[in-house]
PDB file of all heavy atoms in Angstrom:
ATOM      1  N   THR A   3       0.826  -1.209   0.000  1.00 95.00           N
ATOM      2  CA  THR A   3       0.000   0.000   0.000  1.00 95.00           C
ATOM      3  C   THR A   3       0.862   1.263   0.000  1.00 95.00           C
ATOM      4  O   THR A   3       0.379   2.339  -0.332  1.00 95.00           O
ATOM      5  CB  THR A   3      -0.938   0.026   1.209  1.00 95.00           C
ATOM      6  OG1 THR A   3      -0.173  -0.126   2.413  1.00 95.00           O
ATOM      7  CG2 THR A   3      -1.954  -1.115   1.115  1.00 95.00           C
ATOM      8  N   CYS A   4       2.134   1.131   0.375  1.00 96.00           N
ATOM      9  CA  CYS A   4       3.138   2.204   0.253  1.00 96.00           C
ATOM     10  C   CYS A   4       4.276   1.647  -0.597  1.00 96.00           C
ATOM     11  O   CYS A   4       5.340   1.290  -0.071  1.00 96.00           O
ATOM     12  CB  CYS A   4       3.649   2.645   1.617  1.00 96.00           C
ATOM     13  SG  CYS A   4       2.382   3.216   2.757  1.00 96.00           S
ATOM     14  N   PRO A   5       4.085   1.527  -1.925  1.00 97.00           N
ATOM     15  CA  PRO A   5       5.034   0.770  -2.771  1.00 97.00           C
ATOM     16  C   PRO A   5       6.464   1.283  -2.731  1.00 97.00           C
ATOM     17  O   PRO A   5       7.396   0.511  -3.011  1.00 97.00           O
ATOM     18  CB  PRO A   5       4.435   0.925  -4.174  1.00 97.00           C
ATOM     19  CG  PRO A   5       2.993   1.225  -3.954  1.00 97.00           C
ATOM     20  CD  PRO A   5       2.950   2.041  -2.702  1.00 97.00           C
ATOM     21  N   GLU A   6       6.664   2.548  -2.383  1.00 97.00           N
ATOM     22  CA  GLU A   6       8.031   3.072  -2.365  1.00 97.00           C
ATOM     23  C   GLU A   6       8.892   2.386  -1.311  1.00 97.00           C
ATOM     24  O   GLU A   6      10.130   2.401  -1.413  1.00 97.00           O
ATOM     25  CB  GLU A   6       7.990   4.583  -2.126  1.00 97.00           C
ATOM     26  CG  GLU A   6       7.423   5.341  -3.322  1.00 97.00           C
ATOM     27  CD  GLU A   6       7.037   6.774  -2.990  1.00 97.00           C
ATOM     28  OE1 GLU A   6       6.863   7.081  -1.802  1.00 97.00           O
ATOM     29  OE2 GLU A   6       6.913   7.577  -3.934  1.00 97.00           O
ATOM     30  N   MET A   7       8.280   1.776  -0.318  1.00 97.00           N
ATOM     31  CA  MET A   7       9.048   1.029   0.689  1.00 97.00           C
ATOM     32  C   MET A   7       9.669  -0.237   0.107  1.00 97.00           C
ATOM     33  O   MET A   7      10.607  -0.794   0.686  1.00 97.00           O
ATOM     34  CB  MET A   7       8.153   0.674   1.870  1.00 97.00           C
ATOM     35  CG  MET A   7       7.700   1.873   2.693  1.00 97.00           C
ATOM     36  SD  MET A   7       6.673   1.398   4.103  1.00 97.00           S
ATOM     37  CE  MET A   7       7.854   0.499   5.099  1.00 97.00           C
ATOM     38  N   LEU A   8       9.159  -0.700  -1.044  1.00 97.00           N
ATOM     39  CA  LEU A   8       9.729  -1.896  -1.671  1.00 97.00           C
ATOM     40  C   LEU A   8      11.178  -1.689  -2.073  1.00 97.00           C
ATOM     41  O   LEU A   8      11.922  -2.661  -2.236  1.00 97.00           O
ATOM     42  CB  LEU A   8       8.900  -2.281  -2.900  1.00 97.00           C
ATOM     43  CG  LEU A   8       7.486  -2.805  -2.642  1.00 97.00           C
ATOM     44  CD1 LEU A   8       6.742  -2.976  -3.959  1.00 97.00           C
ATOM     45  CD2 LEU A   8       7.529  -4.122  -1.889  1.00 97.00           C
ATOM     46  N   MET A   9      11.597  -0.441  -2.229  1.00 96.00           N
ATOM     47  CA  MET A   9      12.979  -0.173  -2.617  1.00 96.00           C
ATOM     48  C   MET A   9      13.968  -0.739  -1.609  1.00 96.00           C
ATOM     49  O   MET A   9      15.109  -1.066  -1.954  1.00 96.00           O
ATOM     50  CB  MET A   9      13.186   1.333  -2.771  1.00 96.00           C
ATOM     51  CG  MET A   9      14.605   1.727  -3.145  1.00 96.00           C
ATOM     52  SD  MET A   9      14.844   3.499  -3.152  1.00 96.00           S
ATOM     53  CE  MET A   9      16.630   3.583  -3.355  1.00 96.00           C
ATOM     54  N   MET A  10      13.554  -0.875  -0.355  1.00 97.00           N
ATOM     55  CA  MET A  10      14.459  -1.399   0.669  1.00 97.00           C
ATOM     56  C   MET A  10      14.912  -2.812   0.342  1.00 97.00           C
ATOM     57  O   MET A  10      16.002  -3.226   0.736  1.00 97.00           O
ATOM     58  CB  MET A  10      13.780  -1.352   2.037  1.00 97.00           C
ATOM     59  CG  MET A  10      13.476   0.055   2.530  1.00 97.00           C
ATOM     60  SD  MET A  10      12.800   0.101   4.212  1.00 97.00           S
ATOM     61  CE  MET A  10      11.189  -0.613   3.944  1.00 97.00           C
ATOM     62  N   LEU A  11      14.091  -3.578  -0.382  1.00 96.00           N
ATOM     63  CA  LEU A  11      14.468  -4.944  -0.737  1.00 96.00           C
ATOM     64  C   LEU A  11      15.666  -4.957  -1.670  1.00 96.00           C
ATOM     65  O   LEU A  11      16.401  -5.946  -1.732  1.00 96.00           O
ATOM     66  CB  LEU A  11      13.301  -5.663  -1.412  1.00 96.00           C
ATOM     67  CG  LEU A  11      12.220  -6.261  -0.506  1.00 96.00           C
ATOM     68  CD1 LEU A  11      11.406  -5.181   0.188  1.00 96.00           C
ATOM     69  CD2 LEU A  11      11.293  -7.161  -1.307  1.00 96.00           C
ATOM     70  N   LEU A  12      15.876  -3.882  -2.400  1.00 96.00           N
ATOM     71  CA  LEU A  12      16.935  -3.844  -3.408  1.00 96.00           C
ATOM     72  C   LEU A  12      18.310  -3.623  -2.802  1.00 96.00           C
ATOM     73  O   LEU A  12      19.288  -4.240  -3.242  1.00 96.00           O
ATOM     74  CB  LEU A  12      16.628  -2.745  -4.431  1.00 96.00           C
ATOM     75  CG  LEU A  12      17.670  -2.506  -5.526  1.00 96.00           C
ATOM     76  CD1 LEU A  12      17.850  -3.743  -6.388  1.00 96.00           C
ATOM     77  CD2 LEU A  12      17.287  -1.299  -6.385  1.00 96.00           C
ATOM     78  N   TYR A  13      18.418  -2.781  -1.769  1.00 96.00           N
ATOM     79  CA  TYR A  13      19.759  -2.370  -1.345  1.00 96.00           C
ATOM     80  C   TYR A  13      20.011  -2.479   0.158  1.00 96.00           C
ATOM     81  O   TYR A  13      21.125  -2.198   0.622  1.00 96.00           O
ATOM     82  CB  TYR A  13      20.016  -0.924  -1.789  1.00 96.00           C
ATOM     83  CG  TYR A  13      19.471   0.144  -0.881  1.00 96.00           C
ATOM     84  CD1 TYR A  13      20.311   0.863  -0.034  1.00 96.00           C
ATOM     85  CD2 TYR A  13      18.112   0.444  -0.844  1.00 96.00           C
ATOM     86  CE1 TYR A  13      19.821   1.849   0.801  1.00 96.00           C
ATOM     87  CE2 TYR A  13      17.611   1.420  -0.017  1.00 96.00           C
ATOM     88  CZ  TYR A  13      18.466   2.125   0.799  1.00 96.00           C
ATOM     89  OH  TYR A  13      17.975   3.103   1.629  1.00 96.00           O
ATOM     90  N   VAL A  14      19.034  -2.898   0.949  1.00 97.00           N
ATOM     91  CA  VAL A  14      19.191  -2.935   2.402  1.00 97.00           C
ATOM     92  C   VAL A  14      19.514  -4.355   2.849  1.00 97.00           C
ATOM     93  O   VAL A  14      18.744  -5.288   2.603  1.00 97.00           O
ATOM     94  CB  VAL A  14      17.915  -2.440   3.111  1.00 97.00           C
ATOM     95  CG1 VAL A  14      18.074  -2.545   4.627  1.00 97.00           C
ATOM     96  CG2 VAL A  14      17.619  -0.997   2.711  1.00 97.00           C
ATOM     97  N   GLU A  15      20.659  -4.515   3.497  1.00 96.00           N
ATOM     98  CA  GLU A  15      21.010  -5.812   4.071  1.00 96.00           C
ATOM     99  C   GLU A  15      20.112  -6.131   5.264  1.00 96.00           C
ATOM    100  O   GLU A  15      19.545  -5.242   5.899  1.00 96.00           O
ATOM    101  CB  GLU A  15      22.475  -5.811   4.523  1.00 96.00           C
ATOM    102  CG  GLU A  15      23.464  -6.140   3.432  1.00 96.00           C
ATOM    103  CD  GLU A  15      24.780  -6.593   4.011  1.00 96.00           C
ATOM    104  OE1 GLU A  15      25.428  -5.821   4.721  1.00 96.00           O
ATOM    105  OE2 GLU A  15      25.163  -7.752   3.748  1.00 96.00           O
ATOM    106  N   SER A  16      19.994  -7.397   5.579  1.00 96.00           N
ATOM    107  CA  SER A  16      19.138  -7.837   6.678  1.00 96.00           C
ATOM    108  C   SER A  16      19.570  -7.190   7.988  1.00 96.00           C
ATOM    109  O   SER A  16      20.749  -6.913   8.217  1.00 96.00           O
ATOM    110  CB  SER A  16      19.178  -9.360   6.801  1.00 96.00           C
ATOM    111  OG  SER A  16      20.514  -9.803   6.991  1.00 96.00           O
ATOM    112  N   LEU A  17      18.597  -6.945   8.854  1.00 96.00           N
ATOM    113  CA  LEU A  17      18.835  -6.278  10.125  1.00 96.00           C
ATOM    114  C   LEU A  17      19.396  -7.258  11.150  1.00 96.00           C
ATOM    115  O   LEU A  17      18.990  -8.418  11.204  1.00 96.00           O
ATOM    116  CB  LEU A  17      17.537  -5.675  10.652  1.00 96.00           C
ATOM    117  CG  LEU A  17      16.863  -4.629   9.761  1.00 96.00           C
ATOM    118  CD1 LEU A  17      15.540  -4.181  10.382  1.00 96.00           C
ATOM    119  CD2 LEU A  17      17.765  -3.430   9.527  1.00 96.00           C
ATOM    120  N   GLU A  18      20.314  -6.759  11.976  1.00 95.00           N
ATOM    121  CA  GLU A  18      20.845  -7.553  13.082  1.00 95.00           C
ATOM    122  C   GLU A  18      20.204  -7.112  14.391  1.00 95.00           C
ATOM    123  O   GLU A  18      19.348  -6.229  14.426  1.00 95.00           O
ATOM    124  CB  GLU A  18      22.366  -7.436  13.129  1.00 95.00           C
ATOM    125  CG  GLU A  18      23.038  -8.094  11.929  1.00 95.00           C
ATOM    126  CD  GLU A  18      24.487  -8.410  12.180  1.00 95.00           C
ATOM    127  OE1 GLU A  18      25.291  -7.472  12.349  1.00 95.00           O
ATOM    128  OE2 GLU A  18      24.828  -9.611  12.214  1.00 95.00           O
ATOM    129  N   ASP A  19      20.642  -7.727  15.489  1.00 94.00           N
ATOM    130  CA  ASP A  19      19.961  -7.550  16.767  1.00 94.00           C
ATOM    131  C   ASP A  19      20.030  -6.126  17.299  1.00 94.00           C
ATOM    132  O   ASP A  19      19.237  -5.759  18.169  1.00 94.00           O
ATOM    133  CB  ASP A  19      20.550  -8.502  17.812  1.00 94.00           C
ATOM    134  CG  ASP A  19      20.211  -9.952  17.517  1.00 94.00           C
ATOM    135  OD1 ASP A  19      19.168 -10.194  16.886  1.00 94.00           O
ATOM    136  OD2 ASP A  19      20.986 -10.840  17.904  1.00 94.00           O
ATOM    137  N   ASN A  20      20.952  -5.319  16.825  1.00 95.00           N
ATOM    138  CA  ASN A  20      21.092  -3.947  17.317  1.00 95.00           C
ATOM    139  C   ASN A  20      20.814  -2.924  16.221  1.00 95.00           C
ATOM    140  O   ASN A  20      21.360  -1.820  16.234  1.00 95.00           O
ATOM    141  CB  ASN A  20      22.500  -3.728  17.875  1.00 95.00           C
ATOM    142  CG  ASN A  20      23.580  -3.928  16.816  1.00 95.00           C
ATOM    143  OD1 ASN A  20      23.392  -4.658  15.842  1.00 95.00           O
ATOM    144  ND2 ASN A  20      24.714  -3.281  16.990  1.00 95.00           N
ATOM    145  N   GLU A  21      19.952  -3.265  15.263  1.00 96.00           N
ATOM    146  CA  GLU A  21      19.689  -2.384  14.130  1.00 96.00           C
ATOM    147  C   GLU A  21      18.188  -2.259  13.865  1.00 96.00           C
ATOM    148  O   GLU A  21      17.416  -3.195  14.109  1.00 96.00           O
ATOM    149  CB  GLU A  21      20.361  -2.914  12.859  1.00 96.00           C
ATOM    150  CG  GLU A  21      21.872  -3.000  12.931  1.00 96.00           C
ATOM    151  CD  GLU A  21      22.462  -3.562  11.645  1.00 96.00           C
ATOM    152  OE1 GLU A  21      21.911  -4.540  11.117  1.00 96.00           O
ATOM    153  OE2 GLU A  21      23.459  -3.010  11.180  1.00 96.00           O
ATOM    154  N   ILE A  22      17.800  -1.090  13.350  1.00 96.00           N
ATOM    155  CA  ILE A  22      16.442  -0.877  12.851  1.00 96.00           C
ATOM    156  C   ILE A  22      16.552  -0.051  11.566  1.00 96.00           C
ATOM    157  O   ILE A  22      17.630   0.449  11.217  1.00 96.00           O
ATOM    158  CB  ILE A  22      15.540  -0.160  13.877  1.00 96.00           C
ATOM    159  CG1 ILE A  22      16.123   1.200  14.282  1.00 96.00           C
ATOM    160  CG2 ILE A  22      15.349  -1.035  15.103  1.00 96.00           C
ATOM    161  CD1 ILE A  22      15.580   2.376  13.518  1.00 96.00           C
ATOM    162  N   PHE A  23      15.426   0.105  10.873  1.00 97.00           N
ATOM    163  CA  PHE A  23      15.431   0.880   9.632  1.00 97.00           C
ATOM    164  C   PHE A  23      14.204   1.782   9.623  1.00 97.00           C
ATOM    165  O   PHE A  23      13.103   1.355  10.008  1.00 97.00           O
ATOM    166  CB  PHE A  23      15.416  -0.050   8.409  1.00 97.00           C
ATOM    167  CG  PHE A  23      16.034   0.557   7.187  1.00 97.00           C
ATOM    168  CD1 PHE A  23      17.400   0.524   7.007  1.00 97.00           C
ATOM    169  CD2 PHE A  23      15.258   1.190   6.226  1.00 97.00           C
ATOM    170  CE1 PHE A  23      17.987   1.091   5.885  1.00 97.00           C
ATOM    171  CE2 PHE A  23      15.823   1.754   5.114  1.00 97.00           C
ATOM    172  CZ  PHE A  23      17.203   1.709   4.933  1.00 97.00           C
ATOM    173  N   ILE A  24      14.390   3.028   9.196  1.00 96.00           N
ATOM    174  CA  ILE A  24      13.311   4.016   9.176  1.00 96.00           C
ATOM    175  C   ILE A  24      13.132   4.544   7.761  1.00 96.00           C
ATOM    176  O   ILE A  24      14.112   4.872   7.080  1.00 96.00           O
ATOM    177  CB  ILE A  24      13.594   5.168  10.149  1.00 96.00           C
ATOM    178  CG1 ILE A  24      13.482   4.673  11.594  1.00 96.00           C
ATOM    179  CG2 ILE A  24      12.648   6.332   9.926  1.00 96.00           C
ATOM    180  CD1 ILE A  24      13.677   5.739  12.643  1.00 96.00           C
ATOM    181  N   ALA A  25      11.884   4.608   7.312  1.00 96.00           N
ATOM    182  CA  ALA A  25      11.511   5.164   6.008  1.00 96.00           C
ATOM    183  C   ALA A  25      10.634   6.384   6.242  1.00 96.00           C
ATOM    184  O   ALA A  25       9.584   6.288   6.881  1.00 96.00           O
ATOM    185  CB  ALA A  25      10.776   4.122   5.173  1.00 96.00           C
ATOM    186  N   GLU A  26      11.062   7.533   5.717  1.00 95.00           N
ATOM    187  CA  GLU A  26      10.333   8.783   5.910  1.00 95.00           C
ATOM    188  C   GLU A  26       9.841   9.315   4.566  1.00 95.00           C
ATOM    189  O   GLU A  26      10.567   9.300   3.585  1.00 95.00           O
ATOM    190  CB  GLU A  26      11.229   9.836   6.572  1.00 95.00           C
ATOM    191  CG  GLU A  26      11.836   9.412   7.895  1.00 95.00           C
ATOM    192  CD  GLU A  26      12.766  10.457   8.451  1.00 95.00           C
ATOM    193  OE1 GLU A  26      12.350  11.635   8.566  1.00 95.00           O
ATOM    194  OE2 GLU A  26      13.932  10.116   8.750  1.00 95.00           O
ATOM    195  N   GLY A  27       8.611   9.800   4.574  1.00 95.00           N
ATOM    196  CA  GLY A  27       8.063  10.460   3.393  1.00 95.00           C
ATOM    197  C   GLY A  27       7.617   9.519   2.297  1.00 95.00           C
ATOM    198  O   GLY A  27       7.591   9.915   1.130  1.00 95.00           O
ATOM    199  N   VAL A  28       7.241   8.276   2.632  1.00 96.00           N
ATOM    200  CA  VAL A  28       6.757   7.339   1.610  1.00 96.00           C
ATOM    201  C   VAL A  28       5.265   7.566   1.389  1.00 96.00           C
ATOM    202  O   VAL A  28       4.516   7.925   2.296  1.00 96.00           O
ATOM    203  CB  VAL A  28       7.029   5.872   2.020  1.00 96.00           C
ATOM    204  CG1 VAL A  28       8.512   5.609   2.059  1.00 96.00           C
ATOM    205  CG2 VAL A  28       6.408   5.559   3.373  1.00 96.00           C
ATOM    206  N   LEU A  29       4.833   7.350   0.175  1.00 95.00           N
ATOM    207  CA  LEU A  29       3.478   7.679  -0.252  1.00 95.00           C
ATOM    208  C   LEU A  29       2.550   6.489  -0.082  1.00 95.00           C
ATOM    209  O   LEU A  29       2.823   5.406  -0.604  1.00 95.00           O
ATOM    210  CB  LEU A  29       3.507   8.120  -1.722  1.00 95.00           C
ATOM    211  CG  LEU A  29       2.244   8.726  -2.316  1.00 95.00           C
ATOM    212  CD1 LEU A  29       1.923  10.054  -1.654  1.00 95.00           C
ATOM    213  CD2 LEU A  29       2.417   8.917  -3.819  1.00 95.00           C
ATOM    214  N   GLN A  30       1.468   6.687   0.660  1.00 95.00           N
ATOM    215  CA  GLN A  30       0.438   5.656   0.783  1.00 95.00           C
ATOM    216  C   GLN A  30      -0.678   5.970  -0.213  1.00 95.00           C
ATOM    217  O   GLN A  30      -1.304   7.019  -0.156  1.00 95.00           O
ATOM    218  CB  GLN A  30      -0.140   5.599   2.199  1.00 95.00           C
ATOM    219  CG  GLN A  30      -1.176   4.496   2.380  1.00 95.00           C
ATOM    220  CD  GLN A  30      -1.909   4.579   3.701  1.00 95.00           C
ATOM    221  OE1 GLN A  30      -1.898   5.619   4.346  1.00 95.00           O
ATOM    222  NE2 GLN A  30      -2.554   3.492   4.089  1.00 95.00           N
ATOM    223  N   VAL A  31      -0.951   5.041  -1.118  1.00 94.00           N
ATOM    224  CA  VAL A  31      -1.896   5.296  -2.203  1.00 94.00           C
ATOM    225  C   VAL A  31      -3.169   4.483  -2.080  1.00 94.00           C
ATOM    226  O   VAL A  31      -4.192   4.831  -2.686  1.00 94.00           O
ATOM    227  CB  VAL A  31      -1.233   5.023  -3.569  1.00 94.00           C
ATOM    228  CG1 VAL A  31      -0.111   6.024  -3.825  1.00 94.00           C
ATOM    229  CG2 VAL A  31      -0.702   3.591  -3.639  1.00 94.00           C
ATOM    230  N   THR A  32      -3.148   3.372  -1.320  1.00 94.00           N
ATOM    231  CA  THR A  32      -4.323   2.506  -1.228  1.00 94.00           C
ATOM    232  C   THR A  32      -4.476   1.974   0.190  1.00 94.00           C
ATOM    233  O   THR A  32      -3.565   2.092   1.031  1.00 94.00           O
ATOM    234  CB  THR A  32      -4.221   1.306  -2.188  1.00 94.00           C
ATOM    235  OG1 THR A  32      -3.061   0.535  -1.842  1.00 94.00           O
ATOM    236  CG2 THR A  32      -4.144   1.762  -3.634  1.00 94.00           C
ATOM    237  N   LYS A  33      -5.616   1.363   0.440  1.00 93.00           N
ATOM    238  CA  LYS A  33      -5.879   0.599   1.655  1.00 93.00           C
ATOM    239  C   LYS A  33      -6.341  -0.785   1.238  1.00 93.00           C
ATOM    240  O   LYS A  33      -7.210  -0.916   0.383  1.00 93.00           O
ATOM    241  CB  LYS A  33      -6.951   1.273   2.514  1.00 93.00           C
ATOM    242  CG  LYS A  33      -6.546   2.622   3.084  1.00 93.00           C
ATOM    243  CD  LYS A  33      -7.671   3.204   3.927  1.00 93.00           C
ATOM    244  CE  LYS A  33      -7.291   4.562   4.488  1.00 93.00           C
ATOM    245  NZ  LYS A  33      -8.407   5.155   5.292  1.00 93.00           N
ATOM    246  N   LEU A  34      -5.733  -1.804   1.839  1.00 92.00           N
ATOM    247  CA  LEU A  34      -6.076  -3.185   1.517  1.00 92.00           C
ATOM    248  C   LEU A  34      -6.697  -3.811   2.753  1.00 92.00           C
ATOM    249  O   LEU A  34      -6.044  -3.904   3.797  1.00 92.00           O
ATOM    250  CB  LEU A  34      -4.834  -3.950   1.072  1.00 92.00           C
ATOM    251  CG  LEU A  34      -5.044  -5.154   0.157  1.00 92.00           C
ATOM    252  CD1 LEU A  34      -3.775  -5.463  -0.614  1.00 92.00           C
ATOM    253  CD2 LEU A  34      -5.459  -6.379   0.964  1.00 92.00           C
ATOM    254  N   THR A  35      -7.946  -4.219   2.639  1.00 90.00           N
ATOM    255  CA  THR A  35      -8.678  -4.754   3.779  1.00 90.00           C
ATOM    256  C   THR A  35      -8.819  -6.265   3.673  1.00 90.00           C
ATOM    257  O   THR A  35      -8.900  -6.827   2.580  1.00 90.00           O
ATOM    258  CB  THR A  35     -10.069  -4.108   3.861  1.00 90.00           C
ATOM    259  OG1 THR A  35     -10.796  -4.368   2.655  1.00 90.00           O
ATOM    260  CG2 THR A  35      -9.948  -2.600   4.053  1.00 90.00           C
ATOM    261  N   ASN A  36      -8.847  -6.906   4.850  1.00 89.00           N
ATOM    262  CA  ASN A  36      -9.072  -8.345   4.977  1.00 89.00           C
ATOM    263  C   ASN A  36      -8.188  -9.160   4.029  1.00 89.00           C
ATOM    264  O   ASN A  36      -8.679  -9.926   3.197  1.00 89.00           O
ATOM    265  CB  ASN A  36     -10.544  -8.672   4.715  1.00 89.00           C
ATOM    266  CG  ASN A  36     -10.918 -10.058   5.212  1.00 89.00           C
ATOM    267  OD1 ASN A  36     -10.198 -10.665   6.008  1.00 89.00           O
ATOM    268  ND2 ASN A  36     -12.032 -10.585   4.727  1.00 89.00           N
ATOM    269  N   PRO A  37      -6.866  -9.036   4.148  1.00 89.00           N
ATOM    270  CA  PRO A  37      -5.992  -9.760   3.223  1.00 89.00           C
ATOM    271  C   PRO A  37      -6.047 -11.281   3.379  1.00 89.00           C
ATOM    272  O   PRO A  37      -5.698 -11.998   2.446  1.00 89.00           O
ATOM    273  CB  PRO A  37      -4.593  -9.230   3.577  1.00 89.00           C
ATOM    274  CG  PRO A  37      -4.714  -8.758   4.983  1.00 89.00           C
ATOM    275  CD  PRO A  37      -6.106  -8.254   5.141  1.00 89.00           C
ATOM    276  N   LYS A  38      -6.484 -11.774   4.529  1.00 87.00           N
ATOM    277  CA  LYS A  38      -6.527 -13.222   4.749  1.00 87.00           C
ATOM    278  C   LYS A  38      -7.891 -13.813   4.409  1.00 87.00           C
ATOM    279  O   LYS A  38      -8.113 -15.003   4.602  1.00 87.00           O
ATOM    280  CB  LYS A  38      -6.171 -13.544   6.205  1.00 87.00           C
ATOM    281  CG  LYS A  38      -4.771 -13.074   6.603  1.00 87.00           C
ATOM    282  CD  LYS A  38      -4.427 -13.491   8.007  1.00 87.00           C
ATOM    283  CE  LYS A  38      -3.082 -12.922   8.442  1.00 87.00           C
ATOM    284  NZ  LYS A  38      -1.977 -13.378   7.604  1.00 87.00           N
ATOM    285  N   GLY A  39      -8.808 -12.973   3.909  1.00 88.00           N
ATOM    286  CA  GLY A  39     -10.137 -13.446   3.539  1.00 88.00           C
ATOM    287  C   GLY A  39     -10.559 -12.898   2.186  1.00 88.00           C
ATOM    288  O   GLY A  39      -9.855 -13.035   1.187  1.00 88.00           O
TER     289      GLY A  39
END
């Protein structure tokens, strides 16, 4: 629903126990309801 966050899959290495990642200013364009139904 915020497709710009997908960019992290391209260049971000996996997080370790003392790391986090923050994304600022990403665009939310849709809402997806009841994904498991």
Side-chain angles (χ1 to χ4, degrees):
T3 55
C4 303
E6 290 165 341
M7 292 181 66
L8 291 173
M9 179 186 171
M10 295 185 290
L11 279 69
L12 177 62
Y13 83 104
V14 177
E15 275 200 298
S16 57
L17 300 177
E18 293 200 294
D19 291 333
N20 61 334
E21 298 179 317
I22 58 96
F23 207 83
I24 290 183
E26 304 177 52
V28 294
L29 190 66
Q30 182 189 18
V31 294
T32 60
K33 294 180 181 179
L34 206 158
T35 59
N36 196 17
K38 300 184 185 299

